[in-house]
Amino acid sequence: MSAVVRRLVAFIAALVLAVEAVGIVIINVVMGTVVKNQDMSLAGTDPDVMSKGTWVLGGVSGLFLLLCAVLLVVAGARDRAPGRVARIVLICCAVVHGVLGALTVGLVGWTAFAWMVVVLGLIVLALVAYGAEPEPEPKAEPEQPAAPAPA
C-alpha cells in the first residue's frame, strides 16, 4: 500500500474518532443532565451518583477516543507503524467498536451499526496498512560451475 493511501487512511480514521469523541461526550452530558433533573432513583440508586457516573464515563470515553485519534495522527505524520502499546490501544478501540456495533443493532438501529462498522473498518485498515513491510528478497547469486568429482 502506498504511503499516500496509508497516511490518508490514518488521518481519516483520526478525524472520525475525534468527531466520535465529541459526540460521545455530548451524549453522556445530556444523559447525565436528564438523570439529574428527573431526580428519580433506579432501585434505590442515588440520582446524583448516576448523573456523575454518566459524566465521568463520557469524559473517559471521549479521552480514550481522542488518544486513539492522536495515535493515528502520529502514525500518519511519521508514516510509520504505531508502537506496541499504541497498537494494543488501537486494537482495544477496534474491539470496543465491534462489540458496541453488535449491541447497537437492537438498541439503536442499523444506521448506528453502520457507523460503528465503518469506524471499526477504518481502525483495522489503518492497523493493517502499517503492518509489517515485506522483506526484500535477496538477489540470487550467479551459479558457480560444479567442481569436478574427485577421482
Side-chain angles (χ1 to χ4, degrees):
M1 188 176 279
S2 72
V4 174
V5 174
R6 282 194 308 248
R7 285 181 167 187
L8 184 63
V9 167
F11 290 141
I12 289 174
L15 178 66
V16 168
L17 285 174
V19 168
E20 187 178 19
V22 171
I24 289 293
V25 169
I26 290 171
I27 287 171
N28 279 286
V29 166
V30 168
M31 287 191 326
T33 304
V34 167
V35 167
K36 184 177 180 182
N37 290 339
Q38 289 292 321
D39 201 29
M40 298 170 65
S41 68
L42 181 65
T45 306
D46 185 16
D48 288 333
V49 172
M50 289 174 43
S51 66
K52 288 177 185 169
T54 304
W55 291 334
V56 169
L57 176 66
V60 169
S61 299
L63 287 175
F64 177 69
L65 290 171
L66 283 178
L67 170 67
C68 293
V70 167
L71 293 175
L72 287 169
V73 166
V74 169
R78 293 182 180 170
D79 197 28
R80 288 193 334 210
R84 178 176 290 166
V85 174
R87 272 181 135 6
I88 291 171
V89 170
L90 290 171
I91 289 169
C92 289
C93 186
V95 169
V96 166
H97 276 84
V99 170
L100 289 178
L103 292 173
T104 57
V105 173
L107 297 174
V108 182
W110 287 101
T111 306
F113 171 76
W115 171 261
M116 297 301 280
V117 170
V118 165
V119 176
L120 169 67
L122 284 171
I123 295 169
V124 170
L125 184 58
L127 285 169
V128 170
Y130 285 108
E133 295 289 327
E135 295 180 17
E137 295 184 21
K139 296 181 179 176
E141 294 183 21
E143 288 189 30
Q144 300 291 331

